[in-house]
Amino acid sequence: MAHPMRRVAVLGSTGSVGTQTLDVIRAFPDKFDVVALSAGKNLGLLAQQIDEFNPEYVLCEDSEALKSLPGRDCGSLEEMATLPEVDVVMVSTVGSAGLLPTVRALEAGKSVALANKEVLIMAGEQVMDASRRFNNQILPVDSEPSAIWQCMLGERDAVRKLIITASGGAFRDRSPTELGNVTPEEALNHPTWSMGRKITIDSATLVNKAFEVIEAHWLFDMPYDKIDVVIHRQSIVHSMIETADGIVKAHLGSPDMRYPIQYALSHPQRVFNPGLKPFDPVETGSLTFEAMDPQLYPCFELAIDVGRRPGTWGAALMGADEAAVEMFLENRIKFTEIPDVIRAVVDQHTPKDSTNLPNLDEVIQTARWASDTARATVVGSSN
Ligand code: MG
C-alpha cells in the first residue's frame, strides 16, 4: 500500500523554490512529510529548516558543518534523490547540480518535481529517456510548463500549438541602445516575479524564455515550430495551448510560485491552500499581449538556435550563460556583452561524434568547459 503521506526530498532547500516548497508543505502537515533536505552554503537557514521539519537526512556543501547538524549525512545529492523513504524529489537546485540527481531519481522509481530547468537544457533527451524507460513522471514546477501541463489534461492528442508567455523582464521598456549601461541591481528588479538571482538575469535577457521553450519541447514532445512566445506584462496568464479546433486554453493566476509547486506535489489531486491569495479577475483588470522585439532580446534566438541542437550543445549553452550571468553580476561584463560571451563559447565548441547520445559525465564536463571558456574569453579580452 502506498504511504499515507507523500514523502519529499528537497534538493536546494534554502533557495527561492526550496523555501517556497517548504512553505507549501508547512500548510499541509498531514499530506507531506519532509524526509531529506539539502542546501549549499546557507547553513543558518538550513538549521532552521531542520529544526522545523525534522528531516531524517541532510546534506550541505560544508562537510565539517554537516557533522554538527542533526540528521543523517546523505553522502551526495544522488543518494538523497534515491532514498527508499522518498516518493517525490523536488529538484530546486540551479545549473548542473540537478542533472545526476534527476536521472538517478527517475531510475529509482521516484517522481521528480523539476524546478532546475537547466537539467533539460543540458540533457533533455537523456532525462526524458530515463523518465520513459522507468515509467516515472517529471512534474513541471516552472510556472509556464506547469500551466501547459494543466491545460493539456485531457487534451494530449488534440494540441496543435503551445503559447508560452513572457513578462519581458526588467528591461522590457528600454530601447536596445540603452541596455549597454544597465546595472546588475536594475536587472535584478523583476517587474512581476520574485525569483533567484540567476533566473532573474536570464529573464532580463530572455534566455530564461528560450530555456522554457526547450523545456516545453522535451516535456510535451512538441516540435519547436509549434511553440510560440508572446510578451504578457502582467504575468497572469502563465501559458496557453491551442487545440485542434482552434480553441485556446489559458491558465490564469497570481504570479506566485507556490501554486505550481503545490500542484507538482499534490498531483493528480488539487488541494486548497488558505495561505495563497485567490485570483480576482476584476482586481487584475486588463491583460495585454505583444509580439517580442528580437532587437531587445538578442539572446533569445541565439539560445534557441544552440539549445535545440543535439548532443552537448545544450550543455555548452548552459555553462556559457551561467558564467556570463555571474560575470555580469560581478560587474565584469556589460549586460549587452552576455550574448557576445555565449557566442564566443559556442564558436569554440566542437562536439564529439553526434550520432551517439553523450553520457551524463560528458554533458557535465561540457558545461564546466563552457563556463571556464566564457571566463577565459573575458579575461583575454580585457588584458
Ligand atoms: Mg518560468
Side-chain angles (χ1 to χ4, degrees), residues 96 122 314-324 345 366-368 370-372 374:
S96 309
M122 295 171 73
L317 168 67
M318 201 288 300
D321 174 62
E322 190 171 59
V345 174
T366 301
R368 199 170 299 139
S371 262
D372 293 346

Side-chain angles (χ1 to χ4, degrees), residues 117 142-145 195 199 208-209 212:
K117 70 186 81 182
D142 199 1
S143 66
E144 295 81 358
M195 304 179 290
I199 189 172
N208 181 55
K209 207 49 57 179
E212 286 171 2

Side-chain angles (χ1 to χ4, degrees), residues 7-280:
R7 298 167 301 174
V8 187
V10 185
L11 278 49
S13 69
T14 57
S16 175
V17 172
T19 52
Q20 294 183 85
T21 298
L22 292 176
D23 194 48
V24 167
I25 290 175
R26 186 180 287 124
F28 301 99
D30 56 337
K31 286 193 162 52
F32 306 119
D33 182 24
V34 177
V35 174
L37 290 177
S38 90
K41 296 187 175 67
N42 194 342
L43 292 173
L45 182 54
L46 178 63
Q48 275 178 39
Q49 293 175 339
I50 292 171
D51 195 41
E52 180 179 355
F53 293 96
N54 197 23
E56 195 173 342
Y57 298 89
V58 293
L59 198 59
C60 68
E61 273 176 24
D62 181 340
S63 55
E64 276 307 304
L66 185 57
K67 286 181 195 151
S68 67
L69 293 169
R72 290 157 68 180
D73 177 355
C74 234
S76 70
L77 286 178
E78 287 124 273
E79 284 171 67
M80 184 171 278
T82 54
L83 287 167
E85 296 95 327
V86 168
D87 303 311
V88 186
V89 181
M90 168 61 77
V91 180
S92 47
T93 41
V94 189
S96 309
L99 178 56
L100 288 173
T102 296
V103 174
R104 300 293 171 246
L106 291 167
E107 291 170 350
K110 320 294 183 193
S111 298
V112 173
L114 186 60
N116 187 171
K117 70 186 81 182
E118 291 91 342
V119 164
L120 288 172
I121 310 312
M122 295 171 73
E125 193 165 347
Q126 295 92 325
V127 171
M128 297 316 292
D129 189 49
S131 159
R132 271 188 297 270
R133 272 190 299 135
F134 294 87
N135 212 8
N136 293 306
Q137 204 169 9
I138 299 175
L139 310 159
V141 173
D142 199 1
S143 66
E144 295 81 358
S146 175
I148 291 167
W149 176 34
Q150 294 180 58
C151 286
M152 280 175 88
L153 294 172
E155 306 281 11
R156 188 149 275 279
D157 299 323
V159 180
R160 195 163 69 179
K161 196 164 88 175
L162 310 180
I163 305 167
I164 298 179
T165 53
S167 70
F171 303 130
R172 61 193 188 184
D173 292 317
R174 305 288 181 104
S175 73
T177 52
E178 290 174 310
L179 295 183
N181 296 316
V182 295
T183 64
E185 290 68 34
E186 291 173 287
L188 288 169
N189 187 18
H190 195 279
T192 51
W193 290 96
S194 162
M195 304 179 290
R197 287 161 66 86
K198 198 249 174 189
I199 189 172
T200 304
I201 304 301
D202 279 343
S203 296
T205 61
L206 240 60
V207 163
N208 181 55
K209 207 49 57 179
F211 282 3
E212 286 171 2
V213 168
I214 298 164
E215 195 183 10
H217 163 76
W218 288 116
L219 287 171
F220 307 112
D221 195 20
M222 189 61 68
Y224 283 102
D225 62 356
K226 293 186 174 172
I227 308 175
D228 288 352
V229 170
V230 60
I231 300 288
H232 168 53
R233 296 172 161 260
Q234 297 81 16
S235 298
I236 295 295
V237 174
H238 298 312
S239 278
M240 301 174 250
I241 66 165
E242 187 181 308
T243 51
D245 53 358
I247 300 291
V248 172
K249 285 172 85 173
H251 177 290
L252 284 75
S254 308
D256 186 328
M257 279 307 293
R258 290 173 298 176
Y259 277 111
I261 289 167
Q262 181 172 296
Y263 187 68
L265 293 178
S266 73
H267 169 82
Q269 282 190 324
R270 291 194 181 272
V271 292
F272 178 69
N273 184 343
L276 297 185
K277 191 171 175 284
F279 174 64
D280 181 341

